[in-house]
Amino acid sequence: MLFEVLAKALEVAERTTSRTQLVAIVSDLFRKAEPDVVDKLVYLLQGRLWPDWLGLPELGVGVKLLIKAISKAYGVRESEVEALYGKLGDSGKVAEQLRTTKAPSTGGLAKFVQKPGETAKLTVAEVHEILSRVALATGEGSRDIKINLIASLLSKAGPLEARYIARLVEGRLRLGVGDATIMEALAVAYTGSSANRPVIEYAYNVRADLGNVAKVLATRGLEGLKGIAPTPGIPIRPMLAERLSDPGEILAKVGGRALVEYKYDGERAQIHKIGDKVVVFSRRLENITHQYPDVVEMAREGLKASEAIVEGEIVCIDPDTGALRPFQELMHRKRKHDIHEAIKEYPVSVFLFDALYVDGKNLINKPIRERREVLSKVVEESERFRLSEALLATEPTKLEEFFLKAIEDGAEGVMVKALHDQSVYQAGARGWLWIKYKRDYKSEMIDTVDLVVVGAFKGRGRRGGKVGALLFAAYDKATDTFQTVCKVGSGFSDADLEKMDELLKPYVIPHRHPRVISDMEPDIWVVPALVAEILGSELTLSPQHTCCRGAIRKGVGISIRFPRFIRWRPDKSPEDATTTEELIEMYRSQLRKIVEEVTEGQPSS
Ligand code: ATP
């Protein structure tokens, strides 16, 4: 296909205001294109060279460099090109105008593009190839290489072609031809009817490379598309969830039985393993492999298959306790330039929740139960690379309990997943097979609380064997007991942790202290004596902790989300600690604040 044909179509497309006409223009282009160039045509129509997820550099050279190339191509002084650019404000128009008025320079440029036996006219394939070389040129001398390649292309182009080459090079094609338009045009061009678009969409969801999907359609027709299955190395568009906030309604929606999983608050990762190679794709299908060398290593070790595609959530964790850390920490990690430092400072865990392909077996049309079973077989779990916390629920109360536990453990809520026979992986779709149930509000806990140590947990990882977290309790005046509120593993300095065993030693006892009310079983029990100041993100309801149990809701107590140690309070006795009554009041005031926040700004009736 000649590039001239594409340029003419782009010109018409640029002027149309009708979507129907846009689809017609694009489908006409597909009809005219040879099948082996259809993929390149798709990318160029979208102003790109290849799919995003390949992680290759794209076009988008600076105006300065483009002006140099135009000047070279048409033998015009740079200052003149610059002045024209100032006037027209569009590199495409500048190139077009100069190409119309000036004879292109031949000064040694032809060798960059002209191959022996080639016609003088540019083809789509040729333009794509040269532009790819421009995008990929790096290192010393690459600037000159880019200028020469662009100039050579421009010198070979006609005026209209020059307009679009310049815009493509600058990364400013901005035609606004989205995926949906292209899919519709493909359906019309190759099947005669837009009614077949869903088949194309299905293929695109499973293989997120529209150029490749178009090429399969052009060469093998609809039947070819139906055969498209997950391919390791090419991302699958992610399945998305609907949202509800009533446990009863949620269970009813999924048919009464559900796999309920923690909804981790991190970054979604689609992990592809191809032999020794591991590729990680984000929720938006960007290639994020380079950001997570630690995850790559875990997947290489932990996935017991030659080829696999699994999904999970990458979450920052406390390396000593394994506790989940807030989403913001992952953002801090991503901002760090030195990746090795980032890995050390912000270690992550991966919680896997789906398997889409394993060793030649396409799983996306299998029910979730089967996918989860395959996942549990293919993953050799470790501390940092394991399956998501999950529960089979048929009762709304059980769901709610699990939800509260999830929140308390630092998750964002739960994902409720239908378990019936049709519970397939709906690639690229948001449906009712998955329902997210998360907190609707967030209110910062401003006040710190003073809590009493009643137990201790031994650390894992580098703190193996030594105390890494403490169990804290509030004081209940009425019963003179200490009721557990939270487990704290964050906020301690290395020096604090070093001294911890020594500090606790005098208080260690072989069993729970009689004044301590706890459902948790720490590794070490201590006499309530030491008081510390604790800050968290908010107060939450918890089925695990005994503090104020039943006061707010039957069977659940009050806890603290993301609690962290601030400092010891040697000036306080255990009975001076924050009381259960105070915590109830704090929880109620937090609720009031949330209600105020929600109602604020709403028109009064
Ligand atoms: P959406 O992805 O639904 O458009 P969003 O990007 O705002 O919305 P959320 O509303 O937080 O994300 O919910 C979906 C995300 O939850 C998933 O994309 C995934 O990253 C994350 N997630 C965490 N835990 C799980 C889990 N167990 N199962 C599925 N997804 C999970």
Side-chain angles (χ1 to χ4, degrees):
M1 174 181 248
L2 292 181
F3 188 71
E4 192 176 57
V5 179
L6 173 59
K8 280 186 184 146
L10 291 176
E11 199 210 5
V12 186
E14 210 184 313
R15 278 188 276 114
T16 186
T17 52
S18 143
R19 183 174 182 277
T20 315
Q21 201 188 347
L22 188 60
V23 171
I25 296 164
V26 178
S27 70
D28 190 46
L29 268 177
F30 287 135
R31 253 188 240 110
K32 289 177 181 155
E34 305 87 19
D36 68 334
V37 82
V38 164
D39 48 352
K40 297 178 180 84
L41 188 57
V42 168
Y43 305 135
L44 289 178
L45 276 168
Q46 299 198 310
R48 55 174 57 255
L49 294 169
W50 25 63
D52 250 1
W53 50 261
L54 274 176
L56 292 174
E58 268 297 343
L59 288 166
V61 307
V63 177
K64 276 214 171 98
L65 194 144
L66 187 51
I67 285 174
K68 275 189 192 300
I70 294 174
S71 143
K72 190 159 193 173
Y74 303 130
V76 182
R77 273 202 305 275
E78 269 179 58
S79 56
E80 213 178 306
V81 183
E82 236 173 80
L84 195 59
Y85 183 79
K87 197 170 129 204
L88 300 174
D90 169 6
S91 62
K93 288 266 165 66
V94 173
E96 184 179 12
Q97 186 164 320
L98 289 174
R99 174 63 184 82
T100 314
T101 52
K102 314 268 177 184
S105 151
T106 48
L109 290 169
K111 70 173 192 290
F112 286 97
V113 283
Q114 196 95 26
K115 288 178 189 152
E118 249 179 17
T119 61
K121 295 228 170 193
L122 286 169
T123 63
V124 168
E126 203 179 346
V127 172
H128 185 274
E129 192 210 314
I130 306 288
L131 292 181
S132 306
R133 282 162 61 189
V134 172
L136 295 176
T138 52
E140 208 186 324
S142 63
R143 202 176 143 79
D144 288 341
I145 293 174
K146 283 180 201 266
I147 292 171
N148 283 328
L149 286 169
I150 300 164
S152 63
L153 258 184
L154 288 172
S155 68
K156 224 181 154 189
L160 199 60
E161 294 167 277
R163 181 202 289 183
Y164 292 106
I165 287 170
R167 286 192 193 159
L168 276 167
V169 165
E170 211 193 328
R172 282 174 177 262
L173 187 63
R174 301 213 178 121
L175 201 62
V177 178
D179 292 350
T181 309
I182 291 194
M183 285 193 266
E184 200 167 324
L186 285 170
V188 174
Y190 296 114
T191 76
S193 160
S194 60
N196 287 315
R197 192 176 122 184
V199 185
I200 301 170
E201 249 165 30
Y202 174 81
Y204 180 42
N205 286 336
V206 175
R207 181 183 287 174
D209 179 348
L210 200 48
N212 179 278
V213 166
K215 199 165 176 173
V216 171
L217 179 66
T219 48
R220 292 190 273 131
L222 279 178
E223 280 314 304
L225 284 191
K226 284 177 191 159
I228 281 190
T231 313
I234 305 181
I236 297 168
R237 299 182 77 215
M239 174 168 180
L240 303 172
E242 288 287 356
R243 180 191 188 119
L244 280 177
S245 54
D246 179 77
E249 199 183 338
I250 293 174
L251 272 181
K253 256 295 196 233
V254 294
R257 294 177 75 240
L259 182 73
V260 188
E261 298 175 33
Y262 274 21
K263 183 178 186 307
Y264 298 93
D265 196 7
E267 174 161 30
R268 188 173 187 151
Q270 195 176 90
I271 303 172
H272 291 230
K273 180 170 188 263
I274 316 138
D276 256 355
K277 193 172 159 214
V278 172
V279 188
V280 186
F281 297 114
S282 72
R283 153 92 165 75
R284 297 180 53 206
L285 308 185
E286 292 141 339
N287 189 323
I288 49 170
T289 315
H290 60 285
Q291 295 176 17
Y292 293 108
D294 42 355
V295 172
V296 168
E297 205 42 54
M298 288 183 229
R300 203 175 274 142
E301 290 283 309
L303 288 175
K304 297 298 164 201
S306 313
E307 288 194 332
I309 305 175
V310 295
E311 272 197 329
E313 191 87 352
I314 300 176
V315 194
C316 269
I317 49 130
D318 180 318
D320 295 329
T321 63
L324 301 175
R325 304 294 306 141
F327 175 71
Q328 287 75 0
E329 293 210 0
L330 200 64
M331 294 302 103
H332 292 154
R333 166 170 163 148
K334 284 168 91 82
R335 274 198 287 273
K336 286 228 148 206
H337 290 302
D338 183 339
I339 183 68
H340 298 290
E341 222 176 82
I343 289 175
K344 259 200 237 142
E345 206 171 322
Y346 300 102
V348 295
S349 274
V350 185
F351 296 93
L352 298 151
F353 54 76
D354 225 315
L356 311 181
Y357 171 96
V358 172
D359 283 339
K361 199 163 180 221
N362 173 7
L363 301 166
I364 60 173
N365 292 319
K366 303 287 180 203
I368 194 159
R369 186 190 286 278
E370 194 174 329
R371 302 203 304 276
R372 182 99 187 174
E373 222 171 272
V374 174
L375 185 68
S376 67
K377 283 196 189 121
V378 78
V379 176
E380 192 173 279
E381 288 192 288
S382 62
E383 254 337 279
R384 307 269 296 275
F385 191 75
R386 55 199 160 107
L387 269 59
S388 58
E389 285 290 322
L391 173 88
L392 211 133
T394 49
E395 297 288 322
T397 48
K398 283 273 172 281
L399 200 169
E400 179 71 7
E401 223 172 77
F402 195 64
F403 169 79
L404 293 172
K405 187 165 171 287
I407 297 280
E408 193 188 340
D409 283 349
E412 223 192 339
V414 289
M415 275 287 195
V416 186
K417 302 182 178 178
L419 266 172
H420 50 66
D421 289 350
Q422 278 80 48
S423 58
V424 298
Y425 186 91
Q426 294 177 317
R430 188 184 298 284
W432 291 102
L433 290 180
W434 286 10
I435 301 174
K436 54 192 175 195
Y437 175 26
K438 55 180 183 177
R439 306 182 59 85
D440 286 331
Y441 48 80
K442 275 206 166 64
S443 175
E444 288 295 311
M445 183 173 156
I446 330 158
D447 282 349
T448 56
V449 287
D450 297 319
L451 300 174
V452 187
V453 183
V454 296
F457 298 86
K458 289 193 177 148
R460 289 182 285 188
R462 71 190 159 96
R463 287 209 49 83
K466 291 191 166 181
V467 167
L470 300 175
L471 181 61
F472 280 95
Y475 181 56
D476 185 64
K477 259 194 190 143
T479 57
D480 188 37
T481 56
F482 296 94
Q483 305 178 350
T484 69
V485 178
C486 55
K487 175 179 166 181
V488 182
S490 299
F492 300 108
S493 67
D494 283 349
D496 286 329
L497 287 168
E498 267 325 303
K499 283 187 240 151
M500 196 76 85
D501 290 77
E502 275 301 299
L503 185 72
L504 295 178
K505 217 175 180 178
Y507 308 105
V508 173
I509 43 174
H511 51 75
R512 181 178 51 78
H513 189 275
R515 285 172 71 204
V516 171
I517 315 286
S518 173
D519 279 355
M520 280 201 154
E521 278 286 329
D523 299 314
I524 299 163
W525 287 107
V526 294
V527 177
L530 300 166
V531 179
E533 190 176 347
I534 303 294
L535 182 67
S537 61
E538 64 187 316
L539 295 177
T540 54
L541 293 181
S542 157
Q544 294 193 82
H545 288 288
T546 53
C547 170
C548 315
R549 188 172 272 172
I552 303 285
R553 199 180 298 172
K554 198 169 159 242
V556 295
I558 289 180
S559 183
I560 293 174
R561 190 163 186 240
F562 294 131
R564 69 176 188 279
F565 172 86
I566 303 292
R567 62 194 167 117
W568 289 111
R569 294 296 306 263
D571 53 330
K572 287 205 163 185
S573 76
E575 287 78 12
D576 291 331
T578 303
T579 64
T580 51
E581 274 182 328
E582 287 174 87
L583 279 168
I584 292 175
E585 189 38 44
M586 282 172 78
Y587 184 80
R588 292 206 171 116
S589 104
Q590 181 182 288
L591 274 188
R592 279 194 297 275
K593 241 173 51 199
I594 291 158
V595 172
E596 272 163 29
E597 270 167 27
V598 171
T599 48
E600 213 171 47
Q602 286 185 2
S604 52
S605 52

